[in-house]
Amino acid sequence: DTDSDPNALIDGNSLVAMSLARAGVDRMFGVVGIPVTSLANRSVALGIRFIAFHNEQSAGYAASAYGYLTGRPGILLTVSGPGCVHGLAGVSNGTVNAWPMVLISGSCDQKDFGRGDFQELDQIAAVKPFSKFSAKASNIKQIPGCVFDVLHWAASGRPGGCYLDLPTDVLHQTVTESEAEKLIVDAQTCRKENKEEGIEIVKHSEIEKAVSMLRQAERPLIVFGKGAAIARAENELKKLVESTGIPFLPTPMGKGLLPDTHDLAATAARSLAIGRCDVALVVGARLNWLLHFGEPPKWSKDVKFILVDISKEEIELRKPCLGLVGDAKRVLEIINKEIKDDPFCLGKNHTWVEAIAKKAKENVSRMEAQLAKDVVPFNFMTPMRIIRDAILGLGSPAPILVSEGANTMDVGRAVLIQMEPRTRLDAGTWGTMGVGLGYCIAAAVASPDRLVVAVEGDSGFGFSAMECETLVRYQLPVVVIVFNNNGVYGGDRRNPEEITGPYKDDPAPTSFVLGAGYHLLIEAFGGRGYLVGTPDELKSALSEAFSARKPAVINVTIDPYAGAESGRMQHKN
Ligand code: ADP
């Protein structure tokens, strides 16, 4: 900019925006207010798209999902005190899911801290349990270094949530433009020099051992999760699976790295696959509750695990037979190269491959028989089949599916088909409900060429329903399908004899207003709403909403007594 005066003064808000832009940040999610409104405005002026939400919780969920979908930290901007506290939902979600994101929050004036300043809070302490790394700029000159540091830490090693604290007084301090430029360049250079820190390269002997274990296995299985997705390891996975003929099992969000319809997909034979495999190569997926801790009775007690993970701590925690620390894409590349020198392939007629294929076929035909029926009032299966077919009808690029709820998510995971990588976002490692509209907005912003389709329960939808206005305001191509069964898990399932006391006539803790008009909610903002209760009504609403590619809510009336309390997690309730 030849017009700019090197001696002109810029403030902390501007310097943050300049540093973010220089670091390559191009999107930001948040809620503005004191003291960060001008930070958002300056960022927009520098080419960063700011998506303004109603609630920091949703904006935080959006930032975390944006980090996952793009592999670059999603940014959440919040005001001080309560804004930061609301934002903790997002940072914690990012950290637990191992997704890169940064919470940037204003904080109170440093000199007034401790004597009851406006929105005062020790934010560094508040964020600590939920973040990988925090930085506080206690002087304007520290801003560029802090910005580059938090962005680096969020995406390095196992990704996660990081925090940048910006006191009000620092945002109001000034430096000259030439000084600002120098500070940014220094911070950039310092980051570049430290880039190689901590990257481990797997040993060749470990790769040889992995390949030999796979080669000698009688019932090998390849499991992959959202770590493989964030590593963008889909091509390497495809090559490994197809060259060796080893069946594979994706975790819920690993679905789509290879198409669900692939011949070697063991998804529909999950119990057999994990219960009988003797060697499991697990790529970018933790052996946590989602994978039954890798223990009996779900897994065989003799199974040998080979874990590929970027986090050394993860491998130390699980103590697998073999641990390969490194980036999933890179490690698989080396494994593929090693196999290429001395190839092996199980082939279609291998007993194990055949057993899995047979079991998968049986389970699929049993489910298809259920799905084929048109049940009205709707159960979960009938509308899910109609939605599945409508989504498949769109072809490529496949829409990004957002899914939450108990029964809605469980049934959806089994029925809906993922054909492309990173096209499924759900309640994730933390079982977070309320992610719906935040994830939809992130998906639409991260992948403008894709439609976004949310399939969620009425309870999940309720957490973030006000963000329907955000969908309409930015005209995002998002179709939200609400499975409306009048409450959490559906109708009042209590035994009437057990309901006593002065509030016995109150609605059940699980129930909402009967027949809530969720479709009218989006119409209040100028979006399109549909109320449907039959297959034909649903088909026509989907066809119209999918081709319009405009914000819409389809309110699907579901039999309140269909489905189960707690979905498939009844043992925990
Ligand atoms: P899922 O929920 O799909 O089972 P998890 O979130 O439990 O997956 O596990 C993801 C794992 O992937 C984490 O342990 C994380 O450390 C790891 N990971 C993240 N990025 C990479 C990467 N680039 N390469 C390999 N592993 C990764």
Side-chain angles (χ1 to χ4, degrees):
D1 185 351
T2 47
D3 297 338
S4 76
D5 168 6
N7 294 318
L9 292 179
I10 61 161
D11 71 358
N13 274 308
S14 294
L15 186 53
V16 178
M18 285 165 70
S19 307
L20 288 168
R22 200 69 73 81
V25 167
D26 56 2
R27 306 278 186 278
M28 216 191 271
F29 305 87
V31 178
V32 294
I34 297 170
V36 296
T37 310
S38 89
L39 199 167
N41 289 331
R42 290 299 305 149
S43 299
V44 173
L46 293 173
I48 297 174
R49 189 174 196 195
F50 187 85
I51 309 292
F53 280 68
H54 287 269
N55 178 302
E56 292 92 352
Q57 178 175 313
S58 287
Y61 291 151
S64 67
Y66 185 83
Y68 172 59
L69 293 171
T70 62
R72 289 177 287 123
I75 310 292
L76 165 63
L77 180 68
T78 70
V79 303
S80 37
C84 170
V85 169
H86 296 171
L88 296 180
V91 200
S92 54
N93 193 59
T95 299
V96 175
N97 281 302
W99 293 349
M101 74 164 286
V102 173
L103 163 62
I104 300 179
S105 183
S107 60
C108 79
D109 214 299
Q110 294 179 93
K111 73 174 183 337
D112 295 327
F113 183 84
R115 50 192 200 122
D117 194 19
F118 173 67
Q119 299 188 331
E120 175 190 308
L121 171 74
D122 182 351
Q123 296 179 192
I124 292 278
V127 174
K128 196 166 185 358
F130 308 110
S131 65
K132 276 179 77 175
F133 174 84
S134 292
K136 178 178 190 141
S138 39
N139 180 290
I140 187 170
K141 296 190 177 166
Q142 296 170 355
I143 286 177
C146 289
V147 167
F148 280 92
D149 277 351
V150 287
L151 289 170
H152 166 77
W153 283 110
S156 73
R158 170 183 284 171
C162 289
Y163 175 57
L164 174 57
D165 191 278
L166 300 168
T168 304
D169 50 308
V170 174
L171 292 173
H172 294 161
Q173 289 168 4
T174 54
V175 287
T176 63
E177 254 185 51
S178 61
E179 206 174 346
E181 183 56 34
K182 183 174 179 312
L183 289 166
I184 292 174
V185 170
D186 286 351
Q188 245 171 339
T189 321
C190 175
R191 253 298 134 228
K192 270 199 198 111
E193 282 164 5
N194 294 338
K195 229 176 184 162
E196 294 306 314
E197 70 200 17
I199 297 179
E200 297 222 13
I201 308 291
V202 287
K203 290 197 204 82
H204 189 70
S205 60
E206 293 172 336
I207 297 284
E208 280 176 342
K209 181 163 180 212
V211 172
S212 129
M213 283 170 70
L214 288 173
R215 190 191 304 273
Q216 281 160 23
E218 280 173 32
R219 297 177 304 279
L221 181 69
I222 298 172
V223 178
F224 47 81
K226 53 191 179 326
I230 209 163
R232 291 178 150 61
E234 52 268 21
N235 294 335
E236 289 70 20
L237 274 170
K238 182 173 181 335
K239 197 163 168 191
L240 177 64
V241 163
E242 291 179 354
S243 70
T244 60
I246 299 177
F248 68 87
L249 181 73
T251 67
M253 277 196 248
K255 264 160 74 80
L257 277 170
L258 293 180
D260 281 341
T261 51
H262 196 288
D263 280 345
L264 289 165
T267 319
R270 188 177 187 272
S271 301
L272 174 73
I274 67 175
R276 300 285 332 276
C277 70
D278 61 351
V279 173
L281 172 68
V282 180
V283 186
R286 284 167 279 186
L287 291 178
N288 57 13
W289 67 279
L290 276 159
L291 286 173
H292 318 287
F293 307 105
E295 286 170 354
K298 295 280 188 180
W299 294 81
S300 137
K301 71 175 182 4
D302 302 319
V303 60
K304 294 193 184 86
F305 284 108
I306 307 169
L307 299 190
V308 178
D309 204 292
I310 196 129
S311 156
K312 198 174 169 188
E313 288 73 39
E314 180 63 22
I315 284 170
E316 281 163 3
L317 171 71
R318 309 292 172 190
K319 301 189 179 47
C321 182
L322 178 63
L324 305 175
V325 180
D327 173 67
K329 186 177 164 76
R330 181 79 192 112
V331 172
L332 291 177
E333 237 168 45
I334 312 176
I335 290 182
N336 282 329
K337 208 158 144 249
E338 181 71 22
I339 291 176
K340 200 164 154 236
D341 294 341
D342 184 9
F344 66 96
C345 184
L346 303 187
K348 267 200 166 124
N349 301 326
H350 189 281
T351 357
W352 170 238
V353 178
E354 230 176 32
I356 287 187
K358 182 166 167 273
K359 186 76 193 165
K361 212 168 150 197
E362 279 167 24
N363 288 347
V364 166
S365 27
R366 200 171 317 130
M367 189 173 77
E368 284 306 320
Q370 290 291 312
L371 287 171
K373 297 179 214 153
D374 272 343
V375 178
V376 181
F378 277 150
N379 58 5
F380 285 85
M381 296 294 253
T382 301
M384 208 61 89
R385 180 204 79 221
I386 295 169
I387 294 165
R388 174 192 71 184
D389 295 347
I391 290 177
L392 284 179
L394 293 171
S396 186
I400 295 181
L401 173 78
V402 173
S403 182
E404 64 175 328
N407 291 288
T408 308
M409 189 170 72
D410 285 341
V411 175
R413 190 171 55 246
V415 175
L416 301 173
I417 294 177
Q418 247 48 61
M419 297 297 284
E420 294 176 24
R422 294 168 296 280
T423 56
R424 181 186 165 89
L425 295 169
D426 64 25
T429 307
W430 226 15
T432 320
M433 290 295 144
V435 290
L437 290 226
Y439 280 6
C440 286
I441 292 166
V445 167
S447 310
D449 56 327
R450 294 185 193 268
L451 183 71
V452 179
V453 179
V455 181
E456 27 182 348
D458 49 340
S459 137
F461 175 69
F463 283 85
S464 61
M466 191 62 187
E467 304 300 345
C468 278
E469 188 276 336
T470 313
L471 293 183
V472 178
R473 188 165 14 108
Y474 291 98
Q475 282 298 301
L476 300 174
V478 176
V479 178
V480 182
I481 305 165
V482 182
F483 276 46
N484 185 359
N485 60 358
N486 300 331
V488 184
Y489 310 129
D492 187 351
R493 288 153 197 256
R494 297 173 301 176
N495 175 356
E497 284 162 25
E498 284 171 11
I499 309 164
T500 54
Y503 304 109
K504 68 178 170 32
D505 294 328
D506 267 0
T510 52
S511 55
F512 297 149
V513 157
L514 301 188
Y518 297 121
H519 56 296
L520 300 174
L521 204 106
I522 195 161
E523 293 195 343
F525 309 117
R528 186 76 170 85
Y530 303 86
L531 174 64
V532 306
T534 67
D536 284 343
E537 286 168 359
L538 177 57
K539 282 178 200 165
S540 128
L542 287 170
S543 140
E544 200 178 299
F546 284 4
S547 46
R549 297 178 67 90
K550 293 265 193 265
V553 169
I554 304 179
N555 187 1
V556 186
T557 306
I558 304 281
D559 176 354
Y561 295 97
E565 182 167 307
S566 309
R568 294 200 184 144
M569 300 279 291
Q570 286 162 51
H571 61 293
K572 297 231 184 228
N573 200 345

